[in-house]
């Protein structure tokens, strides 16, 4: 069954320093000597709030980025989307943007090769815009990873799936034609029986509920048998 992407989906971001949600995206994180001046073990930082994608209905989005001065990736290289039900496919209008080292294969979830980056008339070699769709085994969890972020590249990328429709694994049972015909016949027979019962009840309703002409009748009487007659 096709339906719009639900608004009530939960999003979890991830970088080299841990996972975060919309509510915890701005919490202070200990980065220690991974950040300048690279000698202070008590160093803390906060992630960029803009990294967290919107979870509105009919869309799926992600913004990937790593802080240029912190190693390894501090920002977001992966987003996990948890849906309220299982789906077996996605389809919508897809836009992908990359930084200077853009490559469609950097986000393997979409299954693109590098040639797709050059098929958009409105963008450069690091941009793609067009229809996208895919089917997959039933799942309620979608995980989309930006590969360069795994080794903390000084770059960024993003995607947006708008007008998004999902294909669910819900199946509506449809009776076979033979079963429908049998059901219709049964309904017809019930109607005939009901009408005959109603007609009989009307014909048999007299005073006191006794059929006319039967009051006082006890059936035919036989003449008395003569004594001594032949048996």
């Amino acid at each position: 069954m096709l339906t719009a992407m639900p608004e009530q989906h939960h999003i979890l971001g991830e970088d080299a320093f841990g996972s975060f949600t919309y509510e915890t995206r701005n919490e202070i994180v200990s980065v220690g000597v991974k950040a300048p001046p690279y000698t202070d073990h008590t160093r803390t930082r906060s992630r960029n709030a803009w990294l967290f994608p919107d979870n509105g209905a009919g869309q799926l989005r992600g913004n990937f980025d790593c802080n240029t001065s912190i190693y390894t990736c501090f920002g977001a290289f992966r987003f996990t989307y948890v849906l309220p039900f299982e789906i077996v496919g996605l389809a919508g209008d897809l836009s992908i943007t990359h930084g200077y080292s853009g490559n469609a294969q950097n986000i393997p979830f979409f299954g693109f090769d590098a040639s797709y980056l050059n098929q958009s008339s409105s963008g450069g070699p690091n941009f793609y815009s067009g229809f996208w769709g895919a089917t997959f085994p039933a799942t309620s969890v979608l995980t989309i990873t930006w590969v360069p972020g795994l080794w903390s590249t000084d770059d960024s990328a993003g995607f947006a799936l708008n007008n998004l429709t999902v294909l669910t694994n819900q199946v509506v049972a449809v009776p076979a034609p033979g079963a429908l015909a049998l059901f219709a016949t049964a309904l017809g027979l019930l109607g005939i029986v009901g009408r005959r019962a109603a007609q009989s009840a009307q014909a048999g309703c007299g005073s006191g509920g006794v059929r006319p002409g039967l009051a006082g009748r006890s059936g035919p009487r036989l003449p008395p048998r003569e004594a001594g007659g032949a048996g």
Side-chain angles (χ1 to χ4, degrees):
M1 182 177 69
L2 291 173
T3 186
M5 179 70 175
E7 182 176 3
Q8 299 79 16
H9 59 274
H10 178 71
I11 305 176
L12 183 69
E14 184 181 349
D15 63 12
F17 293 84
S19 303
F20 55 97
T21 64
Y22 178 83
E23 292 76 17
T24 64
R25 67 193 188 283
N26 287 325
E27 289 186 352
I28 300 300
V29 179
S30 175
V31 294
V33 296
K34 300 290 186 178
Y38 307 108
T39 56
D40 185 358
H41 291 272
T42 64
R43 187 76 169 170
T44 60
R45 293 291 296 270
S46 176
R47 296 182 179 91
N48 293 326
W50 70 268
L51 286 172
F52 212 86
D54 191 356
N55 69 337
Q59 63 185 23
L60 192 69
R61 299 182 178 183
N63 299 309
F64 305 103
D65 190 24
C66 298
N67 189 292
T68 58
S69 62
I70 301 177
Y71 185 83
T72 52
C73 184
F74 183 69
F77 59 61
R78 180 179 293 123
F79 286 105
T80 299
Y81 307 82
V82 182
L83 310 182
F85 49 78
E86 287 190 336
I87 64 173
V88 293
L90 291 171
D93 300 323
L94 173 65
S95 295
I96 297 180
T97 57
H98 295 275
Y100 63 87
S101 62
N103 187 321
Q105 295 171 318
N106 286 348
I107 308 178
F109 177 85
F110 298 110
F112 286 169
D113 59 38
S115 64
Y116 278 87
L117 285 175
N118 297 316
Q119 294 184 6
S120 171
S121 59
S122 59
N126 297 344
F127 182 83
Y128 170 79
S129 179
F131 175 81
W132 177 86
T135 58
F136 37 77
T139 182
S140 61
V141 179
L142 303 174
T143 300
I144 302 179
T145 300
W146 177 51
V147 175
L150 298 176
W151 53 80
S152 190
T153 184
D154 182 12
D155 203 355
S156 62
F159 74 90
L161 263 171
N162 295 313
N163 302 316
L164 183 58
T165 300
V166 300
L167 177 64
T168 71
N169 59 355
Q170 299 176 5
V171 179
V172 178
V174 178
L180 289 175
L182 182 61
F183 183 63
T185 302
L187 287 178
L189 290 175
L190 286 175
I192 293 173
V193 172
R195 286 194 298 271
R196 288 182 176 177
Q199 292 171 357
S200 298
Q202 292 176 358
C205 289
S207 175
V210 181
R211 291 179 61 186
L214 296 183
R217 289 183 59 182
S218 59
R221 295 184 179 181
L222 298 175
R225 186 175 184 180
E226 294 182 3

